[in-house]
């Protein structure tokens, strides 16, 4: 695995070549790995959602503009934190961008210190999102390994039911419920009911659509 597989990429999207050149040099000097692109469509063709990063995008661009690009990204489960820059800011644009989850909205000419700070915040957000996504995938994989009966036992244990109550509700022997419960704990990789409840809560929260 080479460094670019693990080093976060700052995608710089702006149709102004002089802006791209100046910001790329400045951000490289700040230690960022920058990929400069002239349009939103070029970014979408290049973007690998499996790789960590942050997007710095101009708002007003020919073709797909910055806000439209934000909409495309947020419609997927692979949204990327965005720092918007623009020479023609207005309240409507900034409100729409921030409601869409943008890190911030910076006017041109951009102060390097502000841009670098915003990018670092964006990269931190991206790291957190990827950690939560990995946790969600792991939990879903464990849940998928449960049989239908084990899933019933899982739900009832999480609801606080005792083995005797579960047995009565499922019409099964208490000894059988104990066996299922043990398999649930093993497959979910937990050692206590408290841990099982935590996983169940995380599974429910991850299944909710983003705001």
């Amino acid at each position: 695995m080479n460094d670019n597989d693990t080093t976060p990429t700052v995608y710089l999207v702006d149709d102004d070549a002089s802006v791209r050149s100046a910001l790329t040099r400045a951000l490289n000097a700040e230690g960022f790995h920058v990929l400069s692109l002239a349009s939103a469509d070029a970014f979408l063709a290049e973007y690998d959602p499996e790789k960590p990063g942050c997007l710095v995008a101009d708002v007003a661009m020919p073709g797909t503009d910055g806000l439209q690009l934000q909409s495309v990204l947020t419609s997927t489960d692979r949204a990327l934190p965005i720092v918007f820059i623009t020479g023609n800011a207005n309240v409507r644009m900034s409100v729409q961008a921030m409601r869409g989850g943008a890190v911030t909205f910076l006017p041109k000419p951009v102060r390097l210190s502000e841009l670098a700070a915003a990018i670092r915040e964006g990269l931190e957000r991206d790291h957190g999102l990827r950690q939560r996504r990995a946790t969600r995938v792991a939990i879903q994989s464990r849940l998928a390994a449960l049989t239908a009966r084990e899933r019933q036992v899982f739900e009832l244990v999480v609801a606080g039911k005792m083995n005797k109550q579960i047995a009565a509700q499922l019409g099964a022997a208490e000894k059988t419920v104990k066996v299922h419960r043990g398999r649930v704990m093993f497959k979910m990789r937990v050692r206590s009911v408290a841990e099982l409840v935590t996983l169940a809560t995380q599974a429910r929260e991850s299944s909710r659509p983003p705001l």
Side-chain angles (χ1 to χ4, degrees):
M1 181 177 288
N2 59 49
D3 288 343
N4 286 345
D5 288 327
T6 56
T7 301
T9 298
V10 176
Y11 297 93
L12 174 61
V13 183
D14 196 307
D15 62 304
D16 188 325
S18 62
V19 171
R20 293 199 311 275
S21 178
L23 288 181
T24 297
R25 287 196 303 270
L27 292 174
N28 281 334
E30 289 288 316
F32 296 111
H33 170 63
V34 181
L35 179 59
S36 174
L37 299 154
S39 70
D41 291 334
F43 162 76
L44 290 171
E46 185 72 27
Y47 174 50
D48 181 356
E50 295 301 321
K51 295 182 178 181
C54 175
L55 172 61
V56 177
D58 191 11
V59 176
M61 294 184 288
T64 304
D65 66 26
L67 294 177
Q68 290 170 332
L69 176 57
Q70 180 186 38
S71 180
V72 170
L73 290 173
T74 54
S75 67
T76 71
D77 189 36
R78 297 294 184 177
L80 192 67
I82 304 176
V83 175
F84 279 114
I85 57 176
T86 182
N88 300 291
N90 62 50
V91 174
R92 182 193 64 80
M93 280 184 182
S94 60
V95 169
Q96 182 176 342
M98 298 308 289
R99 283 181 176 173
V103 175
T104 192
F105 196 93
L106 300 175
K108 293 180 179 178
V110 180
R111 292 183 180 179
L112 179 58
S113 60
E114 292 182 349
L115 180 58
I119 290 172
R120 291 188 181 96
E121 181 181 341
L123 293 176
E124 288 178 3
R125 283 193 192 183
D126 184 64
H127 180 67
L129 286 170
R130 289 175 188 279
Q131 284 188 320
R132 289 192 291 275
R133 188 179 297 132
T135 298
R136 180 185 66 207
V137 170
I139 293 173
Q140 290 175 339
S141 176
R142 295 176 199 178
L143 286 171
L146 300 179
T147 65
R149 180 60 93 184
E150 288 167 354
R151 185 60 184 261
Q152 289 178 313
V153 172
F154 166 83
E155 297 292 350
L156 292 170
V157 170
V158 167
K161 302 290 185 180
M162 305 297 290
N163 288 346
K164 185 174 183 179
Q165 294 172 307
I166 296 172
Q169 186 164 336
L170 297 182
E174 188 173 347
K175 186 178 296 184
T176 301
V177 169
K178 289 181 180 179
V179 171
H180 286 311
R181 183 168 178 155
R183 289 174 180 167
V184 167
M185 302 291 279
F186 175 77
K187 290 182 178 181
M188 296 303 293
R189 303 178 191 177
V190 297
R191 292 177 292 181
S192 69
V193 173
E195 290 180 29
L196 197 65
V197 171
T198 296
L199 284 187
T201 300
Q202 291 175 328
R204 284 194 294 269
E205 290 178 347
S206 65
S207 66
R208 293 171 185 164
L211 297 176

